[in-house]
Amino acid sequence: QVHLVESGGGSVQTGGSLRLSCAVSGVDFESTIVGWFRHRPGNEREGIAFSYPGDIPQYPGSVRGRFFLDRDTSMNTIHLRMYRLKPEDTGIYYCAGAPYPGGPLSIQDLSARITMWGNGTLVVVSN
């Protein structure tokens, strides 16, 4: 059975940092794209960072330059390091996974391939 378990959410002040982790089990980690979506109040869910096999990251746009992904194949875990956090980063962050078909994927194609979800972890950034 596939499990994606998030940890590391919490509250931080503007400009602060957090690290989220997602532990993956029940699937071949080295054949799986693992990443993060977030759902902010009043916004659609958006994909923000993805880790391809081989530790190749993809950042679709809005968090590029502030959020960074690390892939730990020894622990089947990915870590999302978030820096210079802003109040608009507040939301629920979900770990998600998709079997990797090969080649680069657009965010739309990747989103359509997601078959695994964690329960989410709350991030609150206050002024």
Side-chain angles (χ1 to χ4, degrees), residues 2-125:
V2 179
H3 290 286
L4 278 64
V5 180
E6 301 104 335
S7 60
S11 297
V12 65
Q13 291 190 319
T14 298
S17 305
L18 282 174
R19 188 180 81 157
L20 305 183
S21 298
C22 176
V24 180
S25 60
V27 67
D28 180 4
F29 186 71
E30 301 208 20
S31 300
T32 304
I33 302 169
V34 189
W36 294 91
F37 288 79
R38 67 181 181 184
H39 192 181
R40 297 179 292 169
N43 288 271
E44 302 272 328
R45 186 182 64 194
E46 63 174 326
I48 59 171
F50 299 94
S51 175
Y52 283 63
D55 198 12
I56 299 171
Q58 180 187 44
Y59 306 102
S62 65
V63 303
R64 192 178 297 146
R66 294 192 299 123
F67 291 12
F68 302 93
L69 268 176
D70 302 308
R71 188 179 181 107
D72 182 349
T73 55
S74 69
M75 299 294 290
N76 286 6
T77 298
I78 64 167
H79 304 287
L80 181 67
R81 294 179 283 124
M82 306 187 293
Y83 299 102
R84 304 197 309 276
L85 285 161
K86 308 173 184 179
E88 52 264 43
D89 293 316
T90 293
I92 301 175
Y93 285 66
Y94 296 92
C95 184
Y100 180 44
L105 302 175
S106 68
I107 180 60
Q108 293 79 7
D109 193 4
L110 193 155
S111 296
R113 294 174 180 272
I114 295 292
T115 57
M116 316 162 213
W117 290 96
N119 290 326
T121 187
L122 178 64
V123 172
V124 176
V125 185

